C-alpha cells in the first residue's frame, strides 16, 4: 500500500487544465449519483425560458430576474472536480496507477504530467520492486508517458538502490531499446552518488562506440555529473576524470568527445602529471577548437606550472584560432600569475590583436592585484574577441 500522500493544493488548483480533464474523465466518480441530484435541483430552481415571456405570478419582476440570470457569467463550482482530484490522490496505488492515469498521460498540459510524475515518485518511494515495475512500464510506454515514468523513477529514493541502478544501466545499454529512450534511461543515472568501477567502464566504453549517438552523449554527461557529486562529498575525481579523458581523446563523435574534454571544468581539478600529459595532447592535436579551448582551461590548474606555461607559449605560435589564443593568453596568467607577463608580452608581439589585452593585464598587476579571479573581474573587457558566449 502507498504511504500517506501529500496535498498539493497550489499545483492542482493552479492548473485548470488538470481540473477540467479529471472532471471530464470522471475518474472514481462511478457509482455516485450526487452530481446528478445536484444538477436536477439546479434545473428545478432555474428560471423559465425567456422566450415564454413573464410568468403570471412573477410579472415584470420575474422577467427581470430571468434577464439577470442570463447576463450573469457561468459559475465554476470546483467542489466536484476537487473531490475527484482528492479521491485520485488518496486512492491511487502502484497497482492501479497506469489504469487510472492513462487518460491523463496524453495531456498536453504540463501541470498534469508534473502532478502524475510527483505522485508516482511518492508511490515508488524507496521500494526496489516498484522501481523495477515502473522501468518495465517505460519499456512499452507510448508518447509522453515514457518521460513521466522515467522522471518519476529518477526522482525517487529507490533509484539509488543497487539493483535499480544496475537495471538502469542494463536497460540503457540494451540495443533492443530505441536510441532516444536509451538516452533517457542513461540520463537517469546522473542521480547516483557514485559509480563503481565496473559501471564506469561500461559507460565509458559505450560512449566511445561510434554507434552510441545521443545515448553515448547522455552516458558521458552522467559520468561527469556523478563525478561532480562524488567529488563534492568525498574529494574523489580521479576515476571519473580518467574515463572522461579517455572519451575526450578516443570518441569518434566530436560532440561526445568535446563533452568529455570540457566537463571536468565544472570541478576545476588539480591535474597530476598523467592528466596534464593527456590534456596537453588534446591541446596540440584536437581538431575542434572548442576542445583545445577546454584543454587550455583545464591545464591552467596543473601541478606542473612551468611545463604548462612553456606549452602555452609554444602552442600560441602555431595556433590559428583567435579564441584558443585568447584562452592560452589569459590562462597563462592563471598558471603563473605576474611571472607570466614576459610570456604574454611575447604573445602580444606574435599577434598584435593582444596588445591592448596585455596592457590591461600589466596595468592591473602593477596596481597590486595578484589573485587571478580578482584580476579577471577587473578587466575592462573580458570578451574582446567574441569567444566567451560559447561556454565560459
Amino acid at each position: 500500500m502507498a504511504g500517506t500522500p501529500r496535498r498539493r493544493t497550489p499545483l492542482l488548483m493552479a492548473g485548470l487544465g488538470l481540473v477540467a480533464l479529471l472532471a471530464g474523465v470522471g475518474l472514481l466518480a462511478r457509482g455516485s449519483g450526487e452530481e446528478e441530484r445536484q444538477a436536477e435541483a439546479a434545473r428545478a430552481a432555474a428560471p423559465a425560458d425567456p422566450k415564454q415571456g413573464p410568468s403570471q405570478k412573477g410579472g415584470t419582476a420575474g422577467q427581470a430576474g430571468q434577464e439577470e440570470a442570463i447576463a450573469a457569467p457561468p459559475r465554476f463550482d470546483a467542489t466536484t472536480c476537487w473531490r475527484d482530484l482528492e479521491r485520485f490522490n488518496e486512492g491511487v496505488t502502484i497497482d492501479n496507477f497506469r489504469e487510472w492515469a492513462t487518460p491523463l498521460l496524453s495531456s498536453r498540459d504540463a501541470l498534469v504530467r508534473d502532478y502524475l510524475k510527483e505522485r508516482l515518485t511518492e508511490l515508488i518511494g524507496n521500494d526496489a520492486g516498484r522501481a523495477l515495475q515502473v522501468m518495465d512500464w517505460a519499456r512499452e510506454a507510448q508518447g509522453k508517458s515514457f518521460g513521466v515514468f522515467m522522471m518519476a523513477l529518477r526522482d525517487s529514493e529507490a533509484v539509488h538502490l543497487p539493483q535499480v541502478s544496475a537495471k538502469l544501466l542494463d536497460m540503457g545499454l540494451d540495443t533492443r531499446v530505441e536510441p532516444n529512450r536509451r538516452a533517457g534511461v542513461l540520463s537517469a543515472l546522473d542521480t547516483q552518488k557514485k559509480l563503481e568501477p565496473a559501471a564506469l567502464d561500461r559507460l565509458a566504453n559505450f560512449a566511445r562506440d561510434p554507434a552510441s549517438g545521443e545515448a553515448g552523449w547522455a552516458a558521458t554527461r552522467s559520468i561527469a555529473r556523478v563525478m561532480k557529486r562524488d567529488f563534492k562529498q568525498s574529494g574523489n575525481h580521479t576515476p571519473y576524470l580518467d574515463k572522461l579523458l579517455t572519451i575526450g581523446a578516443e570518441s569518434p563523435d566530436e560532440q561526445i568527445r568535446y563533452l568529455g574534454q570540457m566537463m571536468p571544468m565544472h570541478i576545476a581539478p588539480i591535474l597530476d602529471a598523467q592528466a596534464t600529459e593527456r590534456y596537453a595532447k588534446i591541446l596540440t592535436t584536437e581538431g575542434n577548437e572548442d576542445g583545445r579551448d577546454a584543454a587550455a582551461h583545464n591545464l591552467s590548474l596543473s601541478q606542473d606550472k612551468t611545463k604548462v606555461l612553456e606549452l602555452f607559449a609554444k602552442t600560441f605560435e602555431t595556433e590559428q584560432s583567435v579564441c584558443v589564443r585568447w584562452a592560452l593568453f589569459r590562462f597563462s596568467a592563471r598558471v603563473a600569475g605576474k611571472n607570466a607577463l614576459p610570456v604574454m608580452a611575447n604573445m602580444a608581439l606574435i599577434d598584435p590583436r593582444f596588445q591592448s589585452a596585455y596592457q590591461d593585464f600589466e596595468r592591473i598587476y602593477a596596481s597590486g592585484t595578484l589573485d587571478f579571479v580578482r584580476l579577471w573581474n577587473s578587466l575592462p573587457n573580458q570578451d574582446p574577441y567574441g569567444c566567451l558566449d560559447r561556454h565560459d
Side-chain angles (χ1 to χ4, degrees):
M1 292 297 292
T4 302
R6 300 192 305 267
R7 298 293 187 269
R8 301 177 191 74
T9 301
L11 172 63
L12 300 180
M13 297 307 293
L16 291 181
L18 173 57
V19 172
L21 188 53
L22 278 175
V25 172
L27 271 171
L28 302 176
R30 295 188 293 267
S32 173
E34 183 177 354
E35 290 82 359
E36 288 77 6
R37 290 193 297 272
Q38 291 177 346
E40 183 64 29
R43 286 194 294 269
D49 189 327
K51 294 181 180 180
Q52 297 177 0
S55 65
Q56 295 296 322
K57 296 181 180 180
T60 304
Q63 184 175 9
Q66 293 168 15
E67 292 173 351
E68 182 180 351
I70 294 171
R75 296 179 59 190
F76 177 72
D77 185 356
T79 303
T80 301
C81 300
W82 175 250
R83 183 170 61 251
D84 284 345
L85 288 171
E86 282 288 271
R87 292 162 69 186
F88 182 99
N89 203 40
E90 296 287 350
V92 70
T93 68
I94 196 71
D95 295 319
N96 64 21
F97 181 87
R98 274 201 302 177
E99 177 187 355
W100 287 13
T102 293
L104 307 176
L105 285 171
S106 59
S107 171
R108 296 183 179 180
D109 191 331
L111 286 174
V112 174
R113 295 194 300 274
D114 286 346
Y115 164 72
L116 293 172
K117 185 266 293 182
E118 289 186 13
R119 190 68 187 92
L120 182 55
T121 294
E122 291 178 348
L123 291 173
I124 295 170
N126 197 33
D127 190 299
R130 294 177 180 180
L132 298 177
Q133 184 178 355
V134 172
M135 264 190 274
D136 290 338
W137 296 351
R139 275 185 174 272
E140 58 190 53
Q142 301 297 317
K144 295 184 182 297
S145 58
F146 173 81
V148 171
F149 295 153
M150 289 309 305
M151 289 300 294
L153 176 64
R154 183 184 185 279
D155 291 347
S156 71
E157 297 177 63
V159 76
H160 299 290
L161 298 174
Q163 58 269 52
V164 176
S165 59
K167 185 166 182 178
L168 274 174
L169 180 58
D170 289 341
M171 184 175 171
L173 301 183
D174 188 344
T175 56
R176 295 170 296 179
V177 179
E178 295 178 14
N180 63 326
R181 294 199 170 189
R182 295 172 74 184
V185 173
L186 291 174
S187 292
L189 281 172
D190 70 8
T191 57
Q192 300 302 295
K193 297 176 182 177
K194 63 181 297 183
L195 290 171
E196 299 299 333
L200 266 174
D201 285 340
R202 293 181 68 189
L203 286 171
N205 291 337
F206 173 68
R208 292 156 55 202
D209 187 328
S212 65
E214 183 181 356
W217 191 91
T220 305
R221 186 180 62 178
S222 288
I223 292 174
R225 287 183 171 176
V226 177
M227 174 184 68
K228 184 176 180 180
R229 185 176 297 110
D230 197 357
F231 177 70
K232 184 176 180 180
Q233 293 174 345
S234 67
N236 179 38
H237 71 265
T238 302
Y240 305 97
L241 180 61
D242 175 68
K243 296 306 178 185
L244 289 172
L245 279 169
T246 299
I247 295 168
E250 300 179 10
S251 172
D253 186 302
E254 186 174 276
Q255 292 184 344
I256 295 176
R257 197 167 64 246
Y258 172 62
L259 194 65
Q261 295 160 354
M262 61 80 61
M263 287 300 283
M265 292 192 297
H266 296 291
I267 65 166
I270 303 299
L271 303 185
D272 59 17
Q274 182 180 14
T276 298
E277 190 64 34
R278 296 177 77 179
Y279 265 120
K281 185 175 182 180
I282 292 172
L283 178 65
T284 55
T285 63
E286 171 59 53
N288 178 11
E289 69 176 70
D290 287 340
R292 300 197 301 276
D293 189 310
H297 188 133
N298 284 290
L299 281 166
S300 68
L301 291 177
S302 171
Q303 293 175 337
D304 195 338
K305 298 183 181 301
T306 301
K307 178 178 182 177
V308 170
L309 189 61
E310 292 175 352
L311 175 66
F312 282 6
K314 182 178 180 180
T315 305
F316 189 94
E317 296 177 5
T318 57
E319 177 59 57
Q320 299 300 306
S321 167
V322 67
C323 289
V324 178
R325 279 188 163 183
W326 175 228
L328 294 168
F329 182 89
R330 71 185 189 275
F331 286 129
S332 291
R334 192 182 194 186
V335 172
K338 190 175 182 178
N339 293 332
L341 281 176
V343 171
M344 298 168 73
N346 189 58
M347 290 176 174
L349 289 175
I350 295 171
D351 189 338
R353 290 175 294 184
F354 288 84
Q355 286 288 347
S356 178
Y358 172 76
Q359 292 169 8
D360 289 334
F361 275 80
E362 186 180 43
R363 172 180 51 79
I364 296 171
Y365 275 127
S367 72
T369 298
L370 300 178
D371 178 73
F372 178 76
V373 174
R374 291 183 61 198
L375 180 146
W376 175 252
N377 290 331
S378 299
L379 288 175
N381 185 358
Q382 296 176 335
D383 191 18
Y385 312 104
C387 303
L388 304 187
D389 59 332
R390 300 174 304 170
H391 40 69
D392 270 22

